[in-house]
Amino acid sequence: MARYIFITGGVVSSLGKGLASAALGALLQARGYSVRLRKLDPYLNVDPGTMSPFEHGEVFVTDDGAETDLDLGHYERFTGVPARNTDSVSSGRIYSTVLEKERRGDYLGKTIQVVPHVTNEIKDYLRIGENEVDFMLCEIGGTVGDIEGLPFFEAIRQFIHERPRGECILMHLTLLPYLAASGELKTKPTQHSVKELQSIGLAPDVLLLRSEHPIPEKEREKIALFCNVRKEAVIAAYDLKTIYEAPLAYHREGLDQAVLDAFGISPAPRPNLARWEDVMDRLTHAEGEVRVAIVGKYTQLEDAYKSIAEALTHGGMANRTRVKVEWVDAELFEREDPAPHLQRFHAILVPGGFGERGTEGKIKAVEFARTRGVPYLGICLGMQMAVIETARNLAGLKDAGSEEFDHEATSKGGSKRFTPVIYHLKEWVQGNHVVARKVGDDKGGSMRLGAYSAHLTPGSKVAKVYGTTEIEERHRHRYEVDMTYRDKLEKCGLMFSGVSPDGKLPEIVEVKDHPWFIGVQFHPELKSKPFAPHPLFADFIRAAVEASRLV
């Protein structure tokens, strides 16, 4: 049965609980243990799928079709363990499940309350898969003291109390602010945060202290004394140049040893950190640099494209090349010629997105990449923009566009403007059954989500990149390229080199006579890892390196 590590945060949000959890999972793996990581989020959305990227960053999609918090991306990138639907649990999901049970009469007429009904539901989620791994790491979103987080903390208190002694520990991440005026690190916020935890019946076994400055020994002793934690379990978490330094940095500070000591595991297996030493070697000893433009519409918040940015870094590692990413607002190209802005880049990437805003600028970026021979990777909407660009500029369909944009316009009283080469996907095959969708369906969870197989054309560029003709990738979309235009587009040089197993849905397009031009309907960035870069990103950066040598 798994041992449980609960990771909480205090003082302020955005301290890096997700990264700390992922790094700890990687360190436990390095010592030979199996792990699973889970995120408990207090917000009332059932999942992040309907949230704006400006609100919550990207939506990470699992193989089994769950739309989850971006921290699950960190978990997968650091441990390689595929996340599941049950690894992302929100208050909204808990409450909706409880209310469904109440409507069915499962509670036999009882008054439904936070304790015990909501807390019992949370504990049931915590137990899922507990017999499969050695350690279950559960991160609680938000900050201790947030009113919406109280049911989760109460559930954890009960859970720890119900388990045999020594099977659960709590790791608390706080901030140690530095006051420049007095030249001091202040411990009081941490003390108050721990006091808040203790007031709800929880006590930390390990304290992780975020700090921009070295933490003196006397400050560690003071924190240990006032927070009732062993001094060896007061761990410094300094700012890092790259997130991939975290496992090695936390190991140097003794985090994994402190956790194993808290469980009484002694002697503990020695860690094998060769994987992370190789990752850092590739990052710190890059032999060149390429510049990649991400032309999107959520450029003000880099977390909106978190997995893409990391996958590009992984592609750089595969080529021992530093990747300098720049975010370019697609709307800029609706007013200005893209050439002066894009000609200094070695490669262009157009990511996924929803809605019409910025799409005309993306189409211009596609045209620039195609006509100038610049390596291009289009992901989801980025593939659809490539299809529209070819349809308009090479196939003679001057008003080619997407049903998505006409749906937007007509819902506001406008008229249809496009010949839809991209249409609303009404049905598709999932496993052994057909899934049907209508335009008016609820937004949440109604897309083609999760892992689907694709067949690649033998001899195509993507088949060579993957080294196989059968692949499985993760999807998140409700609009699809219309296959009735396939012949017309292929005559113009846009090859449909990847399709669904039944041949009905296009998955990949590529331009034949181009150094590197590939559009994919899926999201390859979701499966890339620093120690196993996704082949598409690795080859995309290889092509960018070649382009840089031609300049």
Side-chain angles (χ1 to χ4, degrees), residues 13-36:
S13 59
S14 302
L15 287 178
K17 290 194 304 296
L19 178 58
S21 303
L24 176 57
L27 288 174
L28 292 171
Q29 281 183 325
R31 290 180 180 266
Y33 296 108
S34 58
V35 301
R36 176 162 290 284

Side-chain angles (χ1 to χ4, degrees), residues 32 45 106 121 138 149 275 282 298 377 392 434 478 486:
N45 302 66
D106 291 7
E121 197 66 38
C138 303
R275 167 187 279 183
R282 289 175 176 275
Y298 307 119
L377 175 58
R392 286 183 185 179
V434 174
R478 58 170 61 89
R486 178 176 183 172

Side-chain angles (χ1 to χ4, degrees), residues 415-429:
S415 57
K416 291 189 176 182
R417 300 158 293 157
F418 300 115
T419 297
V421 295
I422 313 296
Y423 72 100
H424 183 271
L425 188 57
K426 296 170 183 65
E427 65 175 46
W428 63 89
V429 176

Side-chain angles (χ1 to χ4, degrees), residues 361-373:
K362 292 178 182 180
I363 291 167
K364 287 189 176 179
V366 172
E367 182 182 10
F368 177 88
R370 180 181 61 78
T371 57
R372 302 289 186 98

Side-chain angles (χ1 to χ4, degrees), residues 218-473:
K218 66 181 182 66
E219 303 301 336
R220 292 188 195 231
E221 292 172 357
K222 182 179 180 181
I223 289 168
L225 177 64
F226 283 99
C227 297
N228 200 32
V229 175
R230 291 165 57 90
K231 193 183 79 170
E232 296 78 17
V234 178
I235 309 297
Y238 299 121
D239 292 352
L240 304 171
K241 291 180 181 178
T242 167
I243 60 172
Y244 299 114
E245 191 183 349
L248 297 176
Y250 282 134
H251 175 68
R252 286 194 301 269
E253 293 296 325
L255 175 61
D256 47 333
Q257 189 62 56
V259 165
L260 295 172
D261 287 346
F263 280 114
I265 299 174
S266 182
R270 293 181 63 82
N272 178 2
L273 296 169
R275 167 187 279 183
W276 293 101
E277 288 164 353
D278 178 61
V279 165
M280 284 308 298
D281 180 63
R282 289 175 176 275
L283 268 176
T284 55
H285 295 96
E287 295 166 2
E289 180 178 283
V290 293
R291 294 185 300 277
V292 178
I294 297 181
V295 182
K297 71 174 187 177
Y298 307 119
T299 53
Q300 298 95 322
L301 182 69
E302 292 183 13
D303 273 358
Y305 303 120
K306 188 66 179 172
S307 290
I308 288 177
E310 297 308 323
L312 287 169
T313 300
H314 306 161
M317 292 181 194
N319 292 278
R320 283 198 175 269
T321 300
R322 188 176 299 104
V323 179
K324 186 178 180 183
V325 172
E326 289 191 33
W327 314 85
V328 182
D329 189 343
E331 289 184 275
L332 176 67
F333 302 150
E334 294 175 5
R335 304 184 300 270
E336 301 179 22
D337 179 7
H341 300 279
L342 295 178
Q343 60 191 9
R344 59 194 179 87
F345 292 101
H346 304 121
I348 297 168
L349 187 151
V350 173
F354 296 92
E356 187 177 1
R357 183 171 65 83
T359 52
E360 291 300 323
K362 292 178 182 180
I363 291 167
K364 287 189 176 179
V366 172
E367 182 182 10
F368 177 88
R370 180 181 61 78
T371 57
R372 302 289 186 98
V374 178
Y376 174 82
L377 175 58
I379 295 174
C380 199
L381 185 67
M383 167 181 161
Q384 296 174 7
M385 295 300 97
V387 169
I388 291 172
E389 192 275 330
T390 301
R392 286 183 185 179
N393 296 327
L394 298 179
L397 297 170
K398 296 299 182 184
D399 60 350
S402 171
E403 266 191 359
E404 179 179 8
F405 311 149
D406 271 342
H407 287 155
E408 276 188 47
T410 53
S411 67
K412 297 173 183 175
S415 57
K416 291 189 176 182
R417 300 158 293 157
F418 300 115
T419 297
V421 295
I422 313 296
Y423 72 100
H424 183 271
L425 188 57
K426 296 170 183 65
E427 65 175 46
W428 63 89
V429 176
Q430 185 173 25
N432 297 319
H433 67 283
V434 174
V435 180
R437 290 282 183 263
K438 299 189 295 294
V439 173
D441 285 351
D442 290 345
K443 295 291 186 196
S446 61
M447 290 182 275
R448 185 172 179 240
L449 291 164
Y452 289 86
S453 299
H455 175 72
L456 310 184
T457 303
S460 63
K461 185 180 288 290
V462 288
K464 292 173 184 174
V465 168
Y466 276 98
T468 180
T469 55
E470 301 297 327
I471 62 169
E472 187 178 83
E473 294 283 1

